[in-house]
Amino acid sequence: MKVLLVNGSCNKNGSTNRALEEISKVLKEEGIESEIFLIGNKEIRDCTGCLACRELGKCVYEDGMVNELIEKAKTSDGFIFATPVYYAHPSARILSVLDRAFYAGKKHFAFKPASTVAVARRSGTTASLDVLNKYLTVSNMPLVSSNYWNNIHGKIAADLEQDQEGLQIMRILARNLAWVMKCIELGKNNGLERPELEEKIMTNYIR
Ligand SMILES: Cc1cc2nc3c(=O)[nH]c(=O)nc-3n(C[C@H](O)[C@H](O)[C@H](O)COP(=O)(O)O)c2cc1C
């Protein structure tokens, strides 16, 4: 089993990476493989709403990030989406990537347990978590929690060592995610399949 740890920061060795390392360490103890997928500092375009992905099954813009994420989602069994907080919201780049990845590749995330993490110097974590959680809760993804909201504090990675509560939240989150993944795997091995999807009804508030 594998967990994809999406890092919505530009910084390879920043605070968000440190939080994900704590999660990765516990997943390894639980016998679960993980990979940090860094969004990084390359140019990323927004979703333009062209809907070409409906036919293609991937994003029409081949800028090397979104379609790579969709490909990795296909072979992942769980996810953590982590972001630094910018002006009390998630990084603009993680939103650009997730808008496109979920629109084009939603079915590859569905029924896989996941959670979100926000890293800030001081404020804006819960508002950021609310935004990221919405990708999961519109995609049939079981949302895994910890013993507190999934935030951790620091301006730079080294600061996170002082946030012992934050590091513990990350470890508990990882253990809970591993447990949910193992329960799903056990169910699958005993004939318990994911629920059948009804055909989507769209009422667009047009009368
Ligand atoms: C443009 C920008 C906006 C920021 N806004 C906030 C904020 O609203 N609240 C906060 O606590 N920290 C804010 N920060 C600080 C970052 O969230 C913090 O330094 C974080 O640890 C960076 O994570 P990273 O090293 O993974 O990129 C901001 C940083 C930048 C660059």
Side-chain angles (χ1 to χ4, degrees):
M1 282 190 287
K2 183 179 168 188
V3 174
L4 195 63
L5 304 168
V6 178
N7 180 352
S9 171
C10 290
N11 303 313
K12 188 169 186 287
N13 298 310
S15 317
T16 312
N17 180 69
R18 174 65 189 92
L20 291 175
E21 279 177 349
E22 196 71 8
I23 290 171
S24 174
K25 189 180 71 183
V26 173
L27 290 173
K28 193 172 175 198
E29 287 165 12
E30 294 286 338
I32 294 177
E33 194 192 327
S34 64
E35 176 189 344
I36 296 181
F37 182 85
L38 177 71
I39 288 180
N41 59 6
K42 279 195 285 183
E43 251 181 61
I44 294 168
R45 64 184 307 158
D46 296 331
C47 179
T48 57
C50 70
L51 299 182
C53 57
R54 294 286 153 87
E55 297 293 320
L56 292 170
K58 62 177 186 170
C59 185
V60 72
Y61 300 116
E62 291 284 1
D63 53 7
M65 173 64 58
V66 170
N67 289 332
E68 195 186 337
L69 175 58
I70 293 171
E71 280 307 306
K72 286 187 184 289
K74 290 179 186 174
T75 55
S76 298
D77 309 289
F79 302 89
I80 300 282
F81 301 97
T83 186
V85 172
Y86 286 176
Y87 289 94
H89 58 65
S91 73
R93 53 188 47 245
I94 197 170
L95 299 183
S96 294
V97 168
L98 295 186
D99 280 0
R100 291 167 55 202
F102 273 83
Y103 224 61
K106 187 172 175 171
K107 67 178 179 200
H108 304 299
F109 295 94
F111 300 109
K112 296 177 180 176
S115 198
T116 58
V117 165
V119 186
R121 185 188 69 79
R122 192 168 179 86
S123 294
T125 51
T126 55
S128 300
L129 292 170
D130 287 345
V131 176
L132 290 185
N133 286 344
K134 290 191 174 87
Y135 292 97
L136 280 50
T137 51
V138 77
S139 306
N140 293 296
M141 298 173 82
L143 176 51
V144 177
S145 64
S146 184
N147 67 340
Y148 197 79
W149 298 297
N150 301 337
N151 56 32
I152 185 161
H153 292 94
K155 188 170 183 337
I156 57 168
D159 294 341
L160 269 65
E161 308 308 327
Q162 293 174 60
D163 187 0
Q164 285 298 314
E165 183 173 355
L167 288 170
Q168 185 184 55
I169 292 166
M170 298 302 121
R171 291 193 297 275
I172 292 171
L173 177 63
R175 242 172 256 125
N176 289 349
L177 177 60
W179 174 67
V180 173
M181 287 172 68
K182 287 174 188 177
C183 288
I184 291 172
E185 188 68 10
L186 195 64
K188 224 189 286 175
N189 293 340
N190 285 279
L192 182 65
E193 291 299 326
R194 54 170 62 173
E196 286 287 316
L197 278 177
E198 285 188 31
E199 200 172 322
K200 174 83 178 148
I201 297 171
M202 299 268 272
T203 48
N204 297 341
Y205 299 102
I206 294 168
R207 298 279 181 271

